[in-house]
Amino acid sequence: MSDDKQSKRDRIAKRIAQELPDNSLVNLGIGLPTLVANHLPKDKLVLLHSENGFIGLGPEPEDGLEDLRLVNAGGVPVTIVPGGCFFDSSMSFAIIRGGHLDVTVLGALEVDQEGNLANYMIPGKFVPGMGGAMDLVVGAKKVIVAMEHVTKAGEPKILPKCTLPLTARREVDLIVTDLAVIRVHHDGLHLEEISEETTVEEVVEKTAAKLTVPRKVAEF
Amino acid sequence: MKKILSPKDAVNVIHDKASIMVSGFMCCGQALRLIDALLEKGSKDLTLITNDSGFPDRGVGKLIVAGRVKKLIVSHIGLNPEAGRKMNAGEMEVELVPQGTLAERIRCSGAGLGGVLTPTGLGTEVEKGKQKMVVDGQEYLLERQIHADFAFLKADTCDRYGNAFVAKSGKNFNLVMAMAAQHAIVETDELVPAGGIDPEKVTIPGVFVNSIAWEGKP
């Protein structure tokens, strides 16, 4: 991965970490969302939920200390922090669907101005399945999308209407990209912040959905 | 007291076209020895109900790669390219189920319930062909119970009554699958006499277990 791509991803992760409230339970998706764990605020208590069955997801262990009975949702050996606990899949998803999870952070293929999310398949091309994503997006109190603003080909991913099969309908609350922080309101998408390295014009141009732009936009 | 068998003997009951629930999450908490024994036995046209298609060279993924699986009911097939290829080529039927819905459908069957009402999947392809219901003003999908002929479970420790302890994140689908299969086989690393597991620490009550697969000598 190029330094440029890595720094974009870190910027997204760092900004999302600021959104996590004190004393909260948070689920981070595989890939870019996982990076949020590197930026957790030191002055707040944030516990991570791992959908395969525990609360208190910790960092990967040192070489030689891996325990194959303790893995994250990507199957990678991890650790559990003091205060964590294990449970089975039924309980794990009761926590998710039952309104006990404060925030879920997920990647996206597309997201639209109604807060619809598509992130689990491109018919005929890429069909990994939804895993726990559909439950997470429906159940979490707050849904944050973490993604690069445009596709590899430079096409917008924030659309008036998703074209790919949906993961969930009208559940996204916040979109954080390398260029902008965008909040989903009942009347559409509101631009809240832009990155130091872009302009409002560039963000508007690279967003296919209509954006409500305030007179003054903060930077992150 | 439950039958204690080698993994090879434990899978003797399995017939072609059987439906098997296989616990595990990316092979963690998965009965790898039972899967290897089943591969060797040559059973085919299987329906597997499991969280994911694993890796091509490990666990449940090996059965898929070997072409033994007719139908796969899973939440995720992303890390086994052969599963996606077989699905696209029409060589294997795949039903994708949201992970929480999969766990509850399985649990329902084991708990004597016909199904569960969940908001997961509303407004998506998952809702196609399913009944919707409104309860207390909230819309839900009716997801039906799912049953299987067999379950492959994985324990760290098991006693002779089938009570099993499953450590850490290996728990995942072990308990719900134990409940939902006609015949549940638990593969264990360690076998202990009755009383060898603190009753407070039993993950799978022995009542759900039909036989124990153990590589040691009973």
Side-chain angles (χ1 to χ4, degrees), chain B residues 49-66:
Chain B
I49 300 140
T50 188
N51 178 63
D52 56 75
S53 54
F55 305 101
D57 58 350
R58 193 152 181 263
V60 77
K62 286 160 93 171
L63 287 166
I64 294 166
V65 170

Side-chain angles (χ1 to χ4, degrees), chain A residues 37-53:
Chain A
N38 299 337
H39 301 279
L40 293 179
K42 297 271 183 288
D43 56 337
K44 292 178 188 166
L45 176 64
V46 174
L47 280 175
L48 298 178
H49 172 272
S50 194
E51 72 183 28
N52 54 321

Side-chain angles (χ1 to χ4, degrees), chain A residues 51-52 67-71 73 75 86 88-90 93 97 127-132 134-135 138 165-169, chain B residues 25-26 28 75-78 87 96-100 104 107 118-120 123-124 126 139 156 167-170 172-173:
Chain A
E51 72 183 28
N52 54 321
D67 181 346
L68 292 177
R69 300 171 304 172
L70 177 46
V71 301
F86 293 108
D88 80 333
S89 296
S90 173
F93 282 82
R97 273 189 322 265
V127 189
M130 67 291 279
M134 284 192 176
D135 300 282
V138 164
L166 295 185
T167 306
R169 186 174 65 190
Chain B
F25 194 113
M26 299 309 304
C28 174
S75 80
H76 199 270
I77 59 168
M87 175 177 72
L96 290 171
V97 182
Q99 197 175 130
E104 278 319 297
R107 200 189 75 83
T118 176
T120 302
T124 76
V126 169
E139 192 177 38
D156 291 74
K168 304 183 181 179
S169 61
N172 56 64
F173 281 82

Side-chain angles (χ1 to χ4, degrees), chain B:
Chain B
M1 302 274 271
K2 309 287 173 172
K3 255 188 216 162
I4 297 159
L5 304 165
S6 67
K8 184 166 175 275
D9 290 339
V11 299
N12 255 339
V13 288
I14 292 172
H15 49 83
D16 286 354
K17 299 185 184 172
S19 57
I20 311 174
M21 291 177 173
V22 183
S23 77
F25 194 113
M26 299 309 304
C27 296
C28 174
Q30 194 155 73
L32 303 180
R33 298 181 191 98
L34 287 176
I35 290 167
D36 284 345
L38 189 63
L39 259 175
E40 201 163 310
K41 181 172 186 283
S43 301
K44 57 181 194 299
D45 295 328
L46 302 170
T47 294
L48 294 189
I49 300 140
T50 188
N51 178 63
D52 56 75
S53 54
F55 305 101
D57 58 350
R58 193 152 181 263
V60 77
K62 286 160 93 171
L63 287 166
I64 294 166
V65 170
R68 306 291 177 75
V69 182
K70 190 178 69 171
K71 183 171 182 184
L72 189 61
I73 302 176
V74 280
S75 80
H76 199 270
I77 59 168
L79 294 176
N80 185 343
E82 188 60 9
R85 195 200 61 74
K86 282 190 190 297
M87 175 177 72
N88 290 332
E91 294 167 21
M92 180 174 71
E93 187 187 341
V94 175
E95 180 183 342
L96 290 171
V97 182
Q99 197 175 130
T101 300
L102 185 62
E104 278 319 297
R105 287 177 66 189
I106 295 167
R107 200 189 75 83
C108 279
S109 156
L113 304 172
V116 63
L117 296 173
T118 176
T120 302
L122 281 171
T124 76
E125 297 208 338
V126 169
E127 73 169 32
K128 280 186 185 163
K130 290 176 187 155
Q131 194 179 338
K132 288 187 213 170
M133 295 178 80
V134 175
V135 180
D136 295 337
Q138 163 80 47
E139 192 177 38
Y140 297 96
L141 277 186
L142 172 62
E143 292 279 8
R144 290 165 189 276
Q145 56 96 14
I146 187 167
H147 181 77
D149 301 325
F150 300 96
F152 283 4
L153 315 172
K154 176 61 201 282
D156 291 74
T157 311
C158 186
D159 73 17
R160 286 164 183 267
Y161 285 77
N163 295 305
F165 169 69
V166 187
K168 304 183 181 179
S169 61
K171 291 179 181 59
N172 56 64
F173 281 82
N174 271 293
L175 177 56
V176 290
M177 287 181 172
M179 296 163 69
Q182 196 71 35
H183 182 111
I185 309 169
V186 58
E187 169 189 315
T188 187
D189 289 341
E190 184 190 18
L191 184 69
V192 296
I197 302 175
D198 180 347
E200 300 274 15
K201 291 185 179 156
V202 170
T203 316
I204 307 170
V207 63
F208 299 124
V209 172
N210 297 84
S211 62
I212 298 164
W214 186 53
E215 278 188 332
K217 288 208 176 98

Side-chain angles (χ1 to χ4, degrees), chain A residues 9 15 18 20 23 30 50 70 74 96 98 106 116 123 150 163 191 196 201 218:
Chain A
R9 289 159 63 91
R15 179 61 190 82
Q18 294 168 16
L20 307 179
N23 278 314
I30 298 298
S50 194
L70 177 46
I96 291 169
L106 306 93
N116 297 314
V150 293
T163 62
L191 181 62
E196 295 170 344
E201 290 71 28

Side-chain angles (χ1 to χ4, degrees), chain A residues 25-28 34 37 40 46-52 54-60 70-73 76-81 84-85:
Chain A
L25 181 63
V26 176
N27 185 292
L28 302 176
T34 304
L40 293 179
V46 174
L47 280 175
L48 298 178
H49 172 272
S50 194
E51 72 183 28
N52 54 321
F54 59 108
I55 284 172
L57 173 64
E60 291 177 23
L70 177 46
V71 301
N72 67 13
V76 177
V78 289
T79 52
I80 185 166
V81 302
C85 63

